[in-house]
């Protein structure tokens, strides 16, 4: 395993990847290390990083050949497999470390690790917990699994750079993506529960504000933040605005949890309910001209099932004012 970490690359500049790569480039500048090498299918996505001093590469193969550590941040399992196909076209991968921050199925992580170790490279699975705003501020939580010597080399890019903290989970990369899958299940299940509670509070005239005050005082953290995603209209972004967390990716993440449970002979029944509502929300999106929806948009379906409009009062006023 290579002991140098001077040459660092980043593949994939979606909203999360762009934010995390920016923090890595700033870290490299502070440490007076070589600039971050970047690649994205749409090269213009990297312009903010180039402005920070990063160097754009023409291909994945070029980036990999020039780097010791390569971070990957992409959308889903198929995209990761496609990137790794291109990585494997590089003749010499010996000693290189690949750090995948993508939320994929644990089986995909295991297969990816096997492909890379077969070429004497190492994979660290390092999915993060948090939406784009947290990635921008470096306050996501990162789970990290892989060979201990590789984890030690990559560790300086974790806590205090990309993340507020890092959980080292296992020497098996797939255990980190399994943990992320469980975390996503907890988030999706919480949003389902809070959505149902908010609808009951609204329909019974207790009021959303009263319930949200209880959540703030007695259930701070995830429960309260899930509620504000609904009451403050995050679940249904304004037209043309980007979601905090894409509904399509949320559906993918919940499906991974359901299949991971099936693989070991159990069920995530709450996830099944949440997934049904998320899929129905996607149909609502298509009927609205593929309007962007947040992964919390199942709340709108819960509202409709209770005889309410998909749009709550906050969304109606916001959209009317714009």
């Amino acid at each position: 395993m290579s002991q140098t970490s001077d040459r660092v690359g980043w593949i994939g500049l979606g909203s999360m990847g762009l934010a995390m790569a920016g923090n890595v480039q700033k870290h490299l500048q502070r440490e007076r290390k070589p600039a971050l090498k970047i690649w994205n299918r749409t090269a213009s996505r990297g312009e903010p990083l180039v402005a920070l001093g990063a160097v754009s590469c023409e291909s994945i193969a070029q980036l990999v050949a020039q780097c010791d550590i390569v971070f990957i941040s992409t959308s889903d399992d198929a995209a990761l497999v496609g990137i790794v196909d291109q990585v494997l076209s590089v003749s010499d991968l010996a000693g290189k470390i690949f750090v995948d921050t993508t939320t994929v199925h644990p089986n995909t992580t295991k297969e990816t690790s096997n492909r890379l170790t077969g070429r004497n490279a190492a994979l660290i699975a390092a999915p993060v917990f948090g939406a784009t705003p947290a990635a921008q501020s470096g306050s996501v939580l990162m789970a990290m699994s892989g060979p201990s010597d590789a984890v030690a080399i990559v560790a300086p890019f974790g806590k205090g750079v990309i993340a507020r903290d890092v959980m080292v989970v296992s020497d098996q990369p797939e255990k980190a993506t399994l943990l992320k899958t469980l975390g996503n299940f907890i988030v999706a299940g919480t949003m389902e529960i809070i959505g149902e509670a908010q609808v009951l509070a609204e329909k019974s005239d207790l009021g959303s504000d009263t319930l949200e005050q209880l959540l703030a005082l007695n259930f701070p953290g995830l429960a309260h933040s899930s509620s504000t995603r609904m009451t403050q209209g995050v679940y249904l972004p304004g037209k043309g605005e980007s979601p905090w967390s894409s509904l399509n990716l949320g559906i993918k993440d919940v499906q991974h949890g359901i299949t991971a449970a099936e693989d070991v002979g159990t069920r995530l029944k709450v996830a099944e309910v949440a997934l049904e509502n998320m899929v129905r929300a996607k149909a609502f999106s298509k009927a609205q001209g593929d309007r962007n929806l947040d992964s919390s948009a199942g709340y709108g379906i819960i509202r409709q099932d209770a005889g309410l409009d998909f749009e709550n009062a906050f969304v109606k006023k916001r959209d009317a004012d714009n």
Side-chain angles (χ1 to χ4, degrees), residues 47-244:
E47 290 175 359
L49 296 175
V50 173
L52 291 174
V55 177
S56 182
C57 293
E58 294 183 359
S59 68
I60 289 175
Q62 180 191 23
L63 182 148
V64 170
Q66 296 178 3
C67 294
D68 308 305
I69 298 174
V70 178
F71 287 86
I72 301 172
S73 176
T74 191
S75 56
D76 56 27
D77 300 54
L80 175 62
V81 170
I83 288 170
V84 174
D85 286 345
Q86 295 182 66
V87 166
L88 293 172
S89 72
V90 178
S91 59
D92 185 9
L93 297 179
K96 295 183 185 292
I97 302 172
F98 294 86
V99 185
D100 181 31
T101 69
T102 313
T103 300
V104 296
H105 195 286
N107 291 344
T108 302
T109 299
K110 186 173 183 178
E111 292 163 6
T112 300
S113 178
N114 290 340
R115 296 179 76 191
L116 291 171
T117 55
R119 295 285 304 279
N120 297 314
L123 175 70
I124 295 175
V128 298
F129 298 80
T132 301
Q136 292 169 338
S137 64
S139 58
V140 295
L141 173 66
M142 176 176 278
M144 194 178 287
S145 285
S148 58
D149 53 350
V151 168
I153 293 170
V154 172
F157 299 97
K159 185 175 182 179
V161 179
I162 293 175
R164 71 178 187 274
D165 210 341
V166 174
M167 290 181 61
V168 177
V169 181
S170 170
D171 61 357
Q172 301 174 59
E174 65 270 19
K175 298 304 183 185
T177 43
L178 177 58
L179 182 65
K180 177 62 191 301
T181 296
L182 288 173
N184 288 339
F185 161 63
I186 292 169
V187 171
T190 300
M191 290 193 296
E192 177 67 26
I193 292 168
I194 298 303
E196 293 179 14
Q198 277 290 7
V199 168
L200 174 57
E202 182 173 343
K203 290 213 69 175
S204 63
D205 295 326
L206 174 66
S208 294
D209 291 345
T210 301
L211 175 59
E212 198 154 279
Q213 184 179 11
L214 169 66
L215 295 173
L217 293 172
N218 210 43
F219 304 97
L222 178 58
H224 181 243
S225 66
S226 296
S227 180
T228 59
R229 284 174 79 166
M230 299 168 193
T231 59
Q232 301 303 306
V234 173
Y235 77 100
L236 179 56
K239 290 185 178 181
E241 295 181 1
S242 298
W244 281 8

Side-chain angles (χ1 to χ4, degrees), residues 3-20:
Q3 294 301 308
T4 179
S5 60
D6 283 351
R7 304 185 304 165
V8 183
W10 196 287
I11 297 171
L13 300 174
S15 58
M16 290 291 289
L18 183 64
M20 293 187 288

